[in-house]
């Protein structure tokens, strides 16, 4: 697999693995299966509509209206779930911009429109070939939108890096943590880890006061939860690509 290094707006270098073509195909098949189940449901609803409306055109119009969301499934899922469909969620992958900037809805629209060429026009042949011969495993839609599909699987322990595990539902407390640099956070985390392991409360207090003097948070949190929150908030903002 190829690796991709993205520099965030806070000058933090994040290394990602570009997913293989096999993983992308599997994610596509998962999404296709979901759409198949949805089409089966629409057929059942269509049969039920036939008992209510005798007019065939009315039946077809209602069925087409119900099926309409499936036509935009990929586009809507990527926009709503930040570069992921159900297939991508299960395969732990995500669409991101190559330059590290947030993916705009227009980028997703470009990718979605070019699915006509990449996937449907030649039964996926164009998409497969462009992915195989692209350095960053991009199909035409990715190349046009400036995006790439990366793996979100963790291959190293988070404790060995400046990164912290951040849940999707996490709400940050200190919004000005982006004042810190990558070097600052690395030093804070390493000092915090050592002090916590040795129960060095004096160092924890000094570290907390130093960080608070920079961020001016005036928080009432105790030293340990305060520093944990700062580290988590920093990662929350720097991982929002």
């Amino acid at each position: 697999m190829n690796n991709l290094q993205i520099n965030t707006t806070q000058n933090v270098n994040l290394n990602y693995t570009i997913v293989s073509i096999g993983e992308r195909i599997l994610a596509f098949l998962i999404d296709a299966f979901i759409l198949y189940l949805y089409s089966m449901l629409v057929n059942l609803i269509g049969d039920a509509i036939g008992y209510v409306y005798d007019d065939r055109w009315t039946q077809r119009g209602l069925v087409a209206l119900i099926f309409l969301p499936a036509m935009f499934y990929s586009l809507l899922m990527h926009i709503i779930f930040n570069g992921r469909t159900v297939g991508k969620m299960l395969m732990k992958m995500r669409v991101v911009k190559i330059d590290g900037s947030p993916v705009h809805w227009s980028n997703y629209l470009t990718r979605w429109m070019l699915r006509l060429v990449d996937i449907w026009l030649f039964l996926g042949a164009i998409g497969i070939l462009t992915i195989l011969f692209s350095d960053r495993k991009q199909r035409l839609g990715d190349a046009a939108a400036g995006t790439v599909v990366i793996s979100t699987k963790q291959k190293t322990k988070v404790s060995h890096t400046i990164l912290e595990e951040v849940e999707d539902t996490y709400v940050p407390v200190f919004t000005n943590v982006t004042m810190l640099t990558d070097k600052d956070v690395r030093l804070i985390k390493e000092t915090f880890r050592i002090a916590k392991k040795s129960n060095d409360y004096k160092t924890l207090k000094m570290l907390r006061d130093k960080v608070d003097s920079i961020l001016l948070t005036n928080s009432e949190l105790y030293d340990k939860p305060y520093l944990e929150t700062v580290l988590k908030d920093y990662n929350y903002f720097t991982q929002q690509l």
Side-chain angles (χ1 to χ4, degrees):
M1 292 184 181
N2 293 354
N3 291 324
L4 174 70
Q5 186 178 78
I6 294 179
N7 186 268
T8 69
T9 54
Q10 286 80 29
N11 274 337
V12 178
N13 288 324
L14 301 178
N15 291 304
Y16 291 107
T17 300
I18 300 175
V19 299
S20 66
I21 186 171
E23 291 176 296
R24 292 188 67 163
I25 290 176
L26 186 54
F28 173 80
L29 292 176
I30 293 172
D31 291 326
F33 181 68
I34 291 173
L35 291 176
Y36 170 75
L37 294 178
Y38 184 76
S39 65
M40 296 291 291
L41 176 62
V42 172
N43 284 334
L44 293 176
I45 295 175
D47 293 338
I49 291 175
Y51 292 107
V52 179
Y53 297 98
D54 294 329
D55 182 37
R56 188 173 298 275
W57 286 105
T58 301
Q59 296 174 18
R60 291 177 178 175
L62 290 174
V63 169
L65 186 63
I66 296 172
F67 188 74
L68 188 62
M71 303 294 293
F72 299 92
Y73 167 81
S74 178
L75 176 62
L76 294 175
M77 289 293 292
H78 279 98
I79 293 175
I80 295 172
F81 293 101
N82 196 22
R84 296 173 294 177
T85 61
V86 173
K88 285 186 174 66
M89 292 178 193
L90 294 177
M91 293 300 297
K92 297 186 182 303
M93 58 180 69
R94 177 183 167 196
V95 176
V96 299
K97 286 292 290 295
I98 293 176
D99 60 5
S101 62
V103 187
H104 192 261
W105 66 266
S106 60
N107 301 126
Y108 294 129
L109 179 62
T110 300
R111 295 182 79 256
W112 178 76
M113 292 176 64
L114 284 174
R115 284 165 64 92
L116 176 64
V117 178
D118 281 326
I119 300 173
W120 306 118
L121 196 58
F122 298 101
L123 301 178
I126 298 297
I128 291 174
L129 288 174
T130 52
I131 291 173
L132 286 175
F133 292 102
S134 169
D135 291 337
R136 291 170 173 169
K137 306 300 180 187
Q138 295 171 293
R139 63 178 178 85
L140 290 180
D142 287 314
T147 59
V148 68
V149 182
I150 61 164
S151 173
T152 57
K153 299 175 184 175
Q154 292 184 352
K155 289 184 167 53
T156 58
K157 292 184 178 180
V158 175
S159 59
H160 294 167
T161 68
I162 67 168
L163 300 179
E164 294 285 328
E165 294 181 2
V166 180
E167 303 84 3
D168 292 337
T169 56
Y170 180 72
V171 179
V173 179
F174 307 124
T175 58
N176 60 339
V177 290
T178 52
M179 294 171 58
L180 300 172
T181 65
D182 187 2
K183 183 178 179 180
D184 293 334
V185 175
R186 192 182 303 277
L187 180 60
I188 292 170
K189 183 169 185 178
E190 183 63 19
T191 305
F192 176 56
R193 184 184 66 81
I194 295 174
K196 185 171 62 171
K197 186 176 181 179
S198 59
N199 293 322
D200 186 352
Y201 301 109
K202 182 178 180 180
T203 299
L204 282 176
K205 174 63 175 175
M206 292 174 61
L207 179 61
R208 182 255 170 79
D209 291 343
K210 180 61 177 178
V211 174
D212 188 52
S213 68
I214 297 173
L215 300 181
L216 301 176
T217 55
N218 296 318
S219 172
E220 296 182 357
L221 289 173
Y222 290 110
D223 299 339
K224 181 180 175 181
Y226 175 82
L227 293 169
E228 289 174 339
T229 302
V230 168
L231 291 171
K232 208 165 187 178
D233 287 352
Y234 180 83
N235 277 267
Y236 174 85
F237 287 111
T238 57
Q239 292 180 38
Q240 300 301 305
L241 301 178

